[in-house]
Amino acid sequence: MGTATARNGSTATAWRNWAGNVTATPTRVVAPASVGELQEAVRRAAEDGLRVKAVGTGHSFTAAAATDGVLVRPQALAGIRSIDRAAGTVTVAAGTALKDLNRALAAEGLSLTNMGDIMEQTVSGATSTGTHGTGRDSASIAAQIRSLELVTADGELLVCSEKENPEVFAAARVGIGALGIVTAITFAVEPLFFLTAREEPMGFDRVTAEFEEHFAENEHFEFYWFPHTGNCNTKRNNRSQGPAAPPGPVSGWIEDELLSNGLFQAVNTLGRAVPATIPSIARVASRALSARTYTDIPYKVFTSPRRVRFVEMEYALPREAVVGALRELRAMVDRSRLRISFPVEVRTAPADDIALSTASGRDTAYIAVHMYRGTPYQAYFTAAEHIFTAHGGRPHWGKVHTRDAEYFSRVYPRFGEFTALRDRLDPNRVFGNDYLRRVLGA
């Protein structure tokens, strides 16, 4: 990776995201050890005419965190600040990785209500881009926020909740880094509970015909469709009394490491080299997974390791539109010359009240499409995006898409509320970058 000489004489190394599809060379990099140091870094950047962006672990596929100015690494701002058992909340510094938060909460007998399927991200990076899991009644990680602290463009620290600066709170929970730098988040938590996961292969026609039934009957339902096949794998997570009965070490290794990571890596590498093999590989891979049931604490059921690197696009659709859109996607793949080695993921979320949440104001279902890293993805993603946007889809803020502010102003009723707040909090675009200029406007 390249380097750049920073203004203060130190050398700033180029930044690269997890997937390797976004790079940036900042003028300088700072790693504040306190909120005060972060405030000073923001003030100094503004004085120097430099833009500021905080980066987490780089799990976004967009350039939301890229900057040619000051890159802030918040990982030193980490750890649980306090737990309020009476209120059912935990306050955590923004640079804390979700995996560290989950483990620390479990040790205290507590848990988040819902979470996504990986936990490598920082809490601020995950919430700011709208990271979510799947849930009939429980929503995204950002929807579980009860208050947050935000360093604004003038270096001030703003505390936001439903009672304090409520108009900022309504937007900043999913702020895409446009309103300031989040320094701490207070999440709602609950006593640790057990989930029983039931994974079961199911045909595409059956799972789509019964989608609403599966959604209604399960607290957390999702499924994966394997392109070039009529095969899906379903997963239903529901609360149980326990006790813990995790997958056995052998079966767990076969499913989670061999099939989902090791073998999956190998077949994707083969598919990238020889695309003609992909349909045959997909048929074999989609039949390799078997039904299994296991019980464990939430983060061990919701999340799993993801070591095969990929590029992803995900769109949030009105829930009633998702089956039709997925059928259109399958028909498009079947009639095309595309060769898709990654399964398509379908999840759900209830409506929430966050201005730029992908589930803002409507019950939602998500379709996520992936391509193995290094494989040309533009043709597939373009065709998929055409289908998703025809249904009023909203792309995940941290995943590949081509939409702009004009489009978002049509699919987000509160888009103008967010941009007006941005104009007030950051009129000089200290936290701006090219991505925000495209999605929010100049």
Side-chain angles (χ1 to χ4, degrees), residues 166-353:
E167 76 289 354
V168 181
F169 183 69
R173 285 171 286 171
V174 179
I176 336 172
L179 305 178
I181 297 178
V182 176
T183 58
I185 298 173
T186 298
F187 290 105
V189 291
E190 58 178 299
L192 195 63
F193 55 93
F194 287 109
L195 285 172
T196 292
R198 179 183 172 193
E199 299 177 4
E200 179 186 6
M202 193 176 292
F204 180 93
D205 292 337
R206 179 185 168 190
V207 74
T208 52
E210 298 176 355
F211 174 74
E212 281 297 323
E213 181 181 325
H214 293 305
F215 166 79
E217 291 178 352
N218 296 281
E219 292 174 78
H220 309 275
F221 176 70
E222 64 183 307
F223 69 94
Y224 300 83
W225 164 59
F226 294 82
H228 312 296
T229 81
N231 302 327
C232 297
N233 198 46
T234 64
K235 184 175 182 181
R236 305 168 223 191
N237 299 331
N238 290 287
R239 296 192 184 213
S240 74
Q241 294 302 307
V250 175
S251 64
W253 180 84
I254 289 172
E255 294 281 347
D256 297 327
E257 292 302 324
L258 177 61
L259 294 178
S260 298
N261 285 298
L263 182 60
F264 196 48
Q265 176 80 52
V267 299
N268 273 280
T269 302
L270 173 61
R272 183 174 63 188
V274 190
T277 63
I278 287 176
S280 297
I281 290 171
R283 285 189 289 272
V284 173
S286 64
R287 289 195 295 266
L289 296 170
S290 57
R292 63 172 179 166
T293 300
Y294 54 94
T295 300
D296 217 324
I297 60 176
Y299 83 84
K300 293 184 179 181
V301 174
F302 284 130
T303 70
S304 56
R306 290 285 186 272
R307 283 185 277 279
V308 180
R309 302 206 178 201
F310 53 85
V311 178
E312 180 178 0
M313 168 185 282
E314 181 182 66
Y315 264 75
L317 308 178
R319 199 182 76 233
E320 63 272 14
V322 72
V323 169
L326 187 63
R327 289 172 175 158
E328 290 176 47
L329 184 70
R330 181 183 181 185
M332 180 275 292
V333 170
D334 287 348
R335 68 173 178 263
S336 75
R337 300 181 66 181
L338 295 168
R339 294 296 177 261
I340 315 301
S341 62
F342 255 80
V344 173
E345 183 179 25
V346 178
R347 296 179 287 176
T348 69
D352 64 42
D353 62 350

Side-chain angles (χ1 to χ4, degrees), residues 349-361:
D352 64 42
D353 62 350
I354 306 169
L356 292 191
S357 164
T358 48
S360 182

Side-chain angles (χ1 to χ4, degrees), residues 5-18:
T5 301
R7 188 181 181 93
N8 62 5
S10 63
T11 298
T13 304
W15 171 82
R16 186 183 303 272
N17 70 339
W18 178 82

Side-chain angles (χ1 to χ4, degrees), residues 43-68:
R43 292 189 192 104
R44 185 178 166 213
E47 291 169 0
D48 292 345
L50 296 174
R51 297 183 295 183
V52 185
K53 299 304 296 180
V55 299
T57 54
H59 270 266
S60 288
F61 302 93
T62 65
T67 186
D68 58 1

Side-chain angles (χ1 to χ4, degrees), residues 315 318 355-356 360 362 388-395 397 402-416 419 439:
Y315 264 75
L356 292 191
S360 182
R362 72 185 189 193
F388 302 153
T389 55
H391 292 278
R394 300 166 177 170
W397 295 108
T402 66
R403 301 298 89 188
D404 60 15
E406 189 277 329
Y407 179 84
F408 291 123
S409 69
R410 289 188 279 116
V411 298
Y412 280 102
R414 299 171 65 181
F415 186 77
T419 55
V439 301

Side-chain angles (χ1 to χ4, degrees), residues 353-438:
D353 62 350
I354 306 169
L356 292 191
S357 164
T358 48
S360 182
R362 72 185 189 193
D363 290 336
T364 294
Y366 298 90
I367 302 179
V369 296
H370 313 70
M371 288 289 274
Y372 184 47
R373 186 175 69 169
T375 303
Y377 62 83
Q378 287 82 358
Y380 178 35
F381 284 13
T382 297
E385 191 171 40
H386 180 74
I387 293 168
F388 302 153
T389 55
H391 292 278
R394 300 166 177 170
H396 190 298
W397 295 108
K399 299 178 184 179
V400 174
H401 67 89
T402 66
R403 301 298 89 188
D404 60 15
E406 189 277 329
Y407 179 84
F408 291 123
S409 69
R410 289 188 279 116
V411 298
Y412 280 102
R414 299 171 65 181
F415 186 77
E417 172 189 328
F418 187 96
T419 55
L421 180 65
R422 183 192 187 205
D423 288 340
R424 176 164 71 83
L425 292 180
D426 187 16
N428 298 319
R429 303 299 188 255
V430 171
F431 301 114
N433 63 7
D434 292 342
Y435 178 74
L436 292 179
R437 185 179 303 111
R438 171 164 69 91

